[in-house]
Amino acid sequence: MHKLREEDLFDALRDPKRRSEAFGVVVKTHSKQLYWLIRKMVLSHDDANDVLQNTFLKAWRGLDNFRGDSKISTWLHHIAINETLSFLSSSEAKNKSDLSLEDSMVQNLASDEYFSGDELQLKLQRAILSLPPKQRLVFNMKYFEGRKYEEMEEILGTSVGALKASYHHAVKKIKDFILNEN
Amino acid sequence: MKQNEDILGNCPDAEKIFRVPDGYFESFAKLMDEKTAETDTKQHGRMVLANWWKPVSVAASIAAAIVCTSLYINEKHEEELMLTIEHETLYSQLEDLEIIDYLASEED
């Protein structure tokens, strides 16, 4: 079932008898890419794992509403991005510490057993966290994942021009942040 | 300083900076399989409950409507009965002379 074409996979997802197996293929195919997109936004593995699980559960429950107007991966990216942004805004609301959510995230990252970056990488993450969540998403997709603007346009629903501007502003902000921090 | 300026020059491999527990992606698919089955069981439970609840709630609504209507009718009937009794009591209390006077005035 791994070699199914997109259309066949879509048909299998619509068929109650084959749905479960087809969804297993979808999970296997897309979980890694979605995980890294989420992880670079939430930073902690545990949070990324929770958001990824919610993403697939939402997709599973919403299978009947998926009409196949977009690619399965685009649809999953939409859900993952919405889940990630909701997670970040609810974490912000729940944050009762004196530190801002971003500062807490960097502090937790420094002691995270699943983070092996050096001081410079920690500084880069701090700079990335200074960006608004949506701009951070654009930066991560372009910088770390090297995605094409056209692909990002499809996923984020923002024009290529706006994405380019957003990315260049993000790069400038990050450079300024790092230089001003010293 | 130079290192800071070049920080974006060489994109780091995010998968080397951020790590995942061993075998995470292999076990994730299995975990999701269990979770979706669990969701289905819950949804099935909710559907069974909904299927059972629907006829019960319809029957209860009809019964409630019947009870309300019969209560209303009974109340009306009792009111009418009370009015009849009140009239009869009133008439029984009239003196014969008062009736004769009334009939005489009607004749005039």
Side-chain angles (χ1 to χ4, degrees):
Chain A
M1 202 154 188
H2 264 274
K3 299 284 178 192
L4 283 180
R5 285 182 308 127
E6 177 94 4
E7 297 79 26
D8 297 333
L9 192 57
F10 176 69
D11 288 343
L13 287 170
R14 311 285 297 166
D15 180 355
K17 284 179 188 161
R18 294 188 295 154
R19 172 175 287 196
S20 183
E21 196 188 349
F23 194 74
V25 175
V26 169
V27 172
K28 276 183 189 149
T29 313
H30 299 282
S31 57
K32 208 168 181 178
Q33 193 178 31
L34 292 175
Y35 173 85
W36 287 115
L37 178 74
I38 298 166
R39 176 77 186 269
K40 284 191 282 287
M41 289 294 287
V42 300
L43 302 186
S44 123
H45 165 71
D46 289 340
D47 291 341
N49 181 38
D50 286 347
V51 175
L52 187 64
Q53 282 184 35
N54 288 341
T55 298
F56 280 115
L57 283 178
K58 278 240 168 114
W60 174 252
R61 289 190 202 114
L63 269 180
D64 289 332
N65 300 325
F66 177 54
R67 303 266 165 243
D69 299 332
S70 61
K71 283 196 278 182
I72 294 170
S73 71
T74 308
W75 174 61
L76 288 172
H77 272 81
H78 281 156
I79 303 173
I81 289 168
N82 283 338
E83 282 298 304
T84 307
L85 295 177
S86 307
F87 172 83
L88 289 171
S89 75
S90 75
S91 302
E92 179 97 65
K94 282 182 205 157
N95 182 30
K96 287 189 179 120
S97 105
D98 293 336
L99 296 172
S100 69
L101 175 68
E102 288 73 23
D103 286 340
S104 303
M105 284 168 80
V106 172
Q107 206 172 52
N108 293 337
L109 186 63
S111 55
D112 191 337
E113 63 173 314
Y114 296 116
F115 178 72
S116 0
D118 54 14
E119 193 52 44
L120 200 63
Q121 284 311 317
L122 213 51
K123 199 179 278 185
L124 175 61
Q125 288 305 320
R126 205 164 21 238
I128 295 171
L129 280 171
S130 71
L131 302 172
K134 279 183 187 164
Q135 194 171 31
R136 204 188 311 164
L137 192 62
V138 172
F139 178 82
N140 286 340
M141 287 173 93
K142 187 71 198 161
Y143 180 71
F144 287 109
E145 299 177 11
R147 298 209 198 203
K148 288 181 180 164
Y149 284 118
E150 288 73 18
E151 185 192 357
M152 288 164 66
E153 179 185 32
E154 203 178 326
I155 292 169
L156 299 170
T158 310
S159 70
V160 170
L163 288 170
K164 280 182 183 173
S166 179
Y167 179 70
H168 289 295
H169 277 123
V171 169
K172 191 178 178 314
K173 279 189 203 171
I174 287 170
K175 282 182 176 169
D176 289 348
F177 182 95
I178 290 166
L179 290 172
N180 290 334
E181 214 188 26
N182 295 299
Chain B
M1 191 72 173
K2 181 89 178 80
Q3 197 185 19
N4 282 334
E5 283 172 11
D6 289 345
I7 194 164
L8 292 176
N10 295 314
C11 175
D13 186 353
E15 294 182 27
K16 281 184 183 156
I17 304 168
F18 296 101
R19 289 178 295 109
V20 292
D22 291 338
Y24 171 69
F25 291 111
E26 291 73 24
S27 58
F28 183 80
K30 197 171 175 290
L31 174 79
M32 280 320 300
D33 203 28
E34 289 165 9
K35 291 252 178 190
T36 49
E38 202 178 294
T39 308
D40 279 354
T41 311
K42 279 184 191 166
Q43 267 178 350
H44 178 70
R46 272 198 289 269
M47 272 173 66
V48 168
L49 189 68
N51 287 344
W52 171 83
W53 179 246
K54 258 186 202 165
V56 170
S57 61
V58 169
S61 305
I62 293 169
I66 291 170
V67 168
C68 287
T69 314
S70 61
L71 280 176
Y72 177 75
I73 291 168
N74 269 352
E75 205 173 306
K76 276 274 174 200
H77 182 68
E78 267 177 34
E79 272 175 22
E80 279 168 15
L81 202 65
M82 286 302 288
L83 211 63
T84 316
I85 292 168
E86 271 173 26
H87 283 159
E88 278 173 5
T89 315
L90 198 68
Y91 294 141
S92 67
Q93 284 169 354
L94 286 173
E95 292 293 330
D96 287 347
L97 272 175
E98 282 179 88
I99 297 169
I100 292 163
D101 282 349
Y102 173 76
L103 290 172
S105 67
E106 284 286 297
E107 274 175 15
D108 291 341

